[in-house]
Amino acid sequence: MFNTISVIGLGYIGLPTAAAFASRQKTVIGVDINAHAVEIINRGEIHIVEPDLDSVVKTAVEQGHLRAVTRPEPADAFLIAVPTPFKDDHQPDLSWVKAAAESIAPVLKKGDLVILESTSPVGATEQMAEWLAMARSDLTFPQHEGSKADIHIAYCPERVLPGKVMVELFKNDRVIGGMTPLCSQKACDLYNIFLEGECVVTNSRTAEMCKLTENSFRDVNIAFANELSLICADQGISVWELIALANRHPRVNILQPGPGVGGHCIAVDPWFIVAQNPVQARLIRTAREVNDSKPHWVLEQVKKKLAECLVASDKRASELKIACFGLAFKPDIDDLRESPAMHVASMIADWHQGTTQLVEPNIQQLPHGMPERSVLVTQQEALQQADVLVMLVDHRQFKTIDAASLKSRWLVDTKGIWR
Ligand code: SAJ
């Protein structure tokens, strides 16, 4: 039924999804406006970091099941996996979805299935269906003709964890939100080509809200942990011990505090709910604010530690070194985008008159635009030279540092691994 499948947007979600279909011997056309990425993929290589993706893409390209292009070509199913960021006022920005829909419209034919995978506000799938209908008045669409329509449309959110995409893509259950029951059926048939998990059917609006709910649930729970960390600091209590103790209760499961919440999903998606429901979404908005304010609180802790260190030493502030351990947005990845650790490190380096050392074992060089007095160093150099040590990301390398050896040092530990 689906001989040719097209995936629009070959990023962290689109490329693994294209590779998954190709691994089941389907003909897959990947589309991306980034000509450089297209060229890399057509060489059988990848332009992003994700464990085990490289070998699947390499095999798919070598066996002729996957190829990448910059302009859409006809296919039996189209999956749209493009970014959906928010604008300055936290309103969702659907311009990439609109551009993707308009780019596939000319090649659509009767019987085709169009799926939106990008995280989207409620109603985005219906909006996309309207954009398609406006571009192709010769075809019929489910918002007008229901199951009799020429084109079938569904919202099927991705829910894979960066770093585990090639496992979760196959194993996780899929929420399938068809605009009609037939749309859902067709979408299930499509994903069942590679899916080992279950397809769970609903409508498009519920599926859109489900994706936003999953990430908001996590954001609210991390905000609870982050708020506890502020309270515990004032009360002279270890938040790590507290959470471990509370979690011994059979119905309590508190997440872990940190320097803030990063990445492209959990720190973004709750705003989509807030934007559409500003009056009702009080808890969700506050959770975002609590998590977004955490890097500033960490900076204040660092300032206090440096002041204590200054009093205890005979050095001037400009002679003191602060070392930040970790820059990525979460452990054991190299992704520095939307990272609270990067935010904290930049604020420290902007403020501190001396050197700010940055330790990030997953990168070779610092990104452009870091403040002048910041320098990338090894873990060993930082441990030997720094006066104040700031733990920001619990990478596995840092967990091997002997906490006892740091007893006499000035520490700010946002991850509780140097207790
Ligand atoms: N974090 C904490 N404390 C915790 C757990 C996480 O501070 O206890 C922080 C992390 O350090 C990181 C941020 O939260 O900065 C997000 O990390 P994450 O591992 O919780 O999630 P992401 O953003 O990598 O992936 C999430 C996942 N969503 C859920 O677990 C509900 C993933 O399944 C989604 O597919 C992905 O968002 C997405 O694409 O939406």
Side-chain angles (χ1 to χ4, degrees):
M1 182 173 11
F2 299 108
N3 294 319
T4 305
I5 299 163
S6 183
V7 180
I8 320 296
L10 296 174
Y12 283 88
I13 301 302
L15 183 56
T17 306
F21 283 114
S23 74
R24 297 296 185 266
Q25 278 73 49
K26 288 288 168 187
T27 299
V28 181
I29 304 171
V31 186
D32 202 293
I33 52 172
N34 178 348
H36 184 55
V38 164
E39 187 202 312
I40 293 173
I41 293 163
N42 283 333
R43 286 205 305 262
E45 294 165 17
I46 59 175
H47 61 298
I48 53 177
V49 178
E50 182 57 45
D52 302 329
L53 176 62
D54 50 354
S55 57
V56 185
V57 169
K58 185 167 185 284
T59 309
V61 173
E62 277 174 4
Q63 294 183 347
H65 296 302
L66 171 65
R67 69 189 166 86
V69 295
T70 52
R71 292 166 72 91
E73 296 177 12
D76 305 315
F78 296 85
L79 289 96
I80 296 179
V82 295
T84 44
F86 58 64
K87 302 182 214 163
D88 287 345
D89 55 357
H90 291 135
Q91 295 290 328
D93 178 0
L94 290 183
S95 55
W96 295 73
V97 175
K98 186 166 193 264
E102 287 171 351
S103 77
I104 62 167
V107 297
L108 281 183
K109 61 183 186 315
K110 192 172 168 27
D112 284 356
L113 171 66
V114 180
I115 288 180
L116 179 59
E117 279 209 8
S118 313
T119 303
S120 298
V122 174
T125 309
E126 292 158 345
Q127 172 67 78
M128 181 187 75
E130 268 314 302
W131 285 325
L132 289 172
M134 270 152 58
R136 290 295 302 269
S137 55
D138 56 321
L139 292 170
T140 59
F141 290 82
Q143 66 272 35
H144 307 128
E145 298 288 330
S147 290
K148 296 199 295 295
D150 294 334
I151 304 295
H152 307 288
I153 298 178
Y155 180 72
C156 307
E158 62 81 15
R159 48 201 337 208
V160 289
L161 193 70
K164 280 198 186 158
V165 170
M166 295 313 282
V167 176
E168 294 205 352
L169 192 57
F170 293 88
K171 302 251 181 245
N172 289 2
D173 292 341
R174 269 272 167 184
V175 175
I176 305 285
M179 286 184 68
T180 67
L182 182 61
C183 295
S184 293
Q185 186 51 55
K186 299 234 174 225
C188 290
D189 293 344
L190 180 72
Y191 284 107
N192 279 330
I193 290 171
F194 68 77
L195 197 70
E196 293 163 29
E198 230 179 278
C199 283
V200 192
V201 171
T202 179
N203 56 45
S204 63
R205 295 174 75 87
T206 309
E208 287 159 347
M209 188 63 187
C210 182
K211 168 71 194 187
L212 301 178
T213 300
E214 291 163 9
N215 282 350
S216 298
F217 169 84
R218 204 154 163 83
D219 196 45
V220 169
N221 280 278
I222 299 169
F224 182 69
N226 276 331
E227 187 166 292
L228 281 178
S229 73
L230 271 56
I231 294 168
C232 285
D234 267 8
Q235 298 292 348
I237 293 170
S238 160
V239 69
W240 317 103
E241 186 192 359
L242 174 78
I243 290 175
L245 291 172
N247 282 351
R248 297 291 282 266
H249 185 288
R251 285 174 297 283
V252 174
N253 187 10
I254 304 168
L255 292 178
Q256 299 299 308
V261 169
H264 326 293
C265 312
I266 294 194
V268 174
D269 302 357
W271 285 120
F272 288 12
I273 299 182
V274 175
Q276 288 188 310
N277 311 274
V279 177
Q280 297 90 343
R282 291 186 295 159
L283 181 62
I284 295 171
R285 179 204 300 271
T286 303
R288 274 289 64 248
E289 289 166 354
V290 168
N291 287 333
D292 274 355
S293 65
K294 189 73 191 283
H296 302 277
W297 183 83
V298 176
L299 176 66
E300 291 312 311
Q301 304 306 303
V302 174
K303 286 182 179 176
K304 278 188 206 159
K305 276 290 168 222
L306 194 84
E308 289 172 24
C309 177
L310 209 48
V311 171
S313 79
D314 51 4
K315 291 182 186 168
R316 283 177 302 188
S318 58
E319 294 168 329
L320 294 176
K321 288 190 170 76
I322 303 179
C324 295
F325 286 75
L327 296 174
F329 89 81
K330 64 178 190 173
D332 305 323
I333 60 164
D334 68 340
D335 195 345
L336 309 187
R337 295 170 304 158
E338 319 297 338
S339 166
M342 272 292 280
H343 189 188
V344 172
S346 303
M347 287 193 296
I348 292 174
D350 271 334
W351 161 79
H352 179 45
Q353 296 161 22
T355 303
T356 300
Q357 298 183 317
L358 307 174
V359 188
E360 179 43 80
N362 299 301
I363 61 168
Q364 264 73 53
Q365 61 186 54
L366 283 180
H368 291 299
M370 285 304 283
E372 239 174 59
R373 290 181 300 271
S374 57
V375 47
L376 188 66
V377 301
T378 64
Q379 177 170 321
Q380 213 46 40
E381 285 168 322
L383 286 172
Q384 281 163 4
Q385 299 168 7
D387 299 285
V388 177
L389 280 58
V390 187
M391 164 49 56
L392 295 173
V393 189
D394 46 341
H395 288 312
R396 61 188 159 74
Q397 292 90 338
F398 301 158
K399 290 184 182 160
T400 62
I401 297 170
D402 177 20
S405 71
L406 303 177
K407 262 210 167 112
S408 57
R409 311 290 293 273
W410 303 97
L411 305 178
V412 175
D413 181 1
T414 71
K415 293 307 298 179
I417 67 169
W418 287 340
R419 277 179 287 153

